[in-house]
Amino acid sequence: MIRIGVGGWNFPEWRGGAFYPDGLRQADELAHMASRLNAVEVNGTFYRSQSPQTYRAWADATPKDFSFALKAPRYATNRKVLAEAGESVTRFTEGGLAELGDKLGPINWQLAPTKKFERDDFARFLDLLPQTGGGLPLRHAVEVRHESFLDPAFAPLCTERGVAIILDGDSTYPSIDSPTADFAYLRIMGTTAGEALGYSEAALDRWAQYARGLQGDVWMFVIAGEKRLNPRAAEALSARI
């Protein structure tokens, strides 16, 4: 399964006919987005806790085959010593996300751009990530954004634990293309105002071909860049795949 989506769904730039029909209620934006794409990366979970009722409402608003990737809370990842994040990790993974059921996709443990690779601390952090949350199996992925993670010791730590390394494409962050899990997670960030679909036709073809060549399930999100055009790029990728 290859899932294509965007980051979030509550953006003024998408309203008034740009992506959402003119007059669509904000309460219906998730359902509309889910009728056009089959995945979303939730950014709100990075900033604040969500209630079990909220997760359930998201699940109820979306089709059966829809998938939610969740950004883990900053309280777990934006810290000097990652190995001390155990309480925050548990609070998040046992905080109701299981209400998403089969719609729960991978968790993105996004590190700060300034966070450097420290082998022992990072290994201990990975060991904090549980196999299940609320009784559901969990998929974990790490998004590292400092060049020190180009260290050859990094990827084997993830492979040993089945944690995916998120590929940041078309960005200023290191692009680490290393399969370390039985699924893949991509975030592409190169949409520009000069392209009607955010990306050129050739670039969309390349990303679609890349996604088709990956092993296991794939989650691919069009993030950042020219945010107004990200849904168009995601739809264009979906059409190719």
Side-chain angles (χ1 to χ4, degrees):
M1 173 69 75
I2 299 177
R3 300 183 182 277
I4 307 293
V6 287
W9 60 86
N10 294 128
F11 297 113
E13 301 97 319
W14 297 0
R15 296 171 183 146
F19 177 59
Y20 296 132
D22 194 21
L24 182 72
R25 297 188 313 153
Q26 291 187 30
D28 296 328
E29 289 176 347
L30 172 59
H32 179 83
M33 185 270 293
S35 73
R36 306 275 290 272
L37 301 168
N38 62 6
V40 69
E41 183 188 77
V42 181
N43 198 44
T45 48
F46 179 76
Y47 292 104
R48 59 189 177 277
S49 298
Q50 308 294 324
S51 69
Q53 292 77 15
T54 295
Y55 287 120
R56 171 50 54 190
W58 292 348
D60 290 344
T62 51
K64 182 178 180 180
D65 61 350
F66 195 76
S67 182
F68 292 88
L70 306 179
K71 284 182 70 174
R74 54 183 171 170
Y75 308 108
T77 57
N78 287 3
R79 55 174 64 227
K80 184 177 181 180
V81 181
L82 291 172
E84 296 176 353
E87 183 178 345
S88 294
V89 170
T90 300
R91 187 182 304 116
F92 173 62
T93 57
E94 296 295 335
L97 52 74
E99 292 296 318
L100 291 172
D102 293 341
K103 296 180 181 181
L104 176 62
I107 297 173
N108 174 1
W109 300 89
Q110 183 190 74
L111 304 188
T114 55
K115 184 61 180 177
K116 297 180 181 179
F117 178 57
E118 298 175 32
R119 186 190 185 284
D120 291 344
D121 182 44
F122 186 74
R124 290 170 62 198
F125 171 72
L126 293 182
D127 289 338
L128 296 175
L129 307 183
Q131 296 299 306
T132 62
L136 282 184
L138 300 180
R139 301 180 184 91
H140 299 291
V142 290
E143 184 179 7
V144 298
R145 298 184 288 171
H146 192 276
E147 61 183 11
S148 62
F149 280 88
L150 295 170
D151 189 306
F154 166 54
L157 293 177
C158 296
T159 300
E160 290 167 7
R161 297 158 176 84
V163 173
I165 297 173
I166 294 175
L167 175 66
D168 282 343
D170 305 322
S171 76
T172 58
Y173 303 126
S175 186
I176 301 176
D177 187 359
S178 183
T180 56
D182 60 0
F183 69 96
Y185 194 134
L186 294 78
R187 303 175 90 238
I188 61 173
M189 312 179 203
T191 52
T192 60
E195 297 288 347
L197 297 176
Y199 274 104
S200 68
E201 297 283 350
L204 291 167
D205 289 342
R206 285 195 300 272
W207 276 119
Q209 182 178 9
Y210 178 86
R212 285 196 297 267
L214 294 170
Q215 299 297 313
D217 290 340
V218 177
W219 280 262
M220 184 183 217
F221 298 104
V222 185
I223 302 283
E226 183 67 19
K227 186 175 292 185
R228 175 179 59 88
L229 297 175
N230 287 349
R232 295 187 189 180
E235 287 188 305
L237 284 168
S238 294
R240 285 163 167 75
I241 293 174

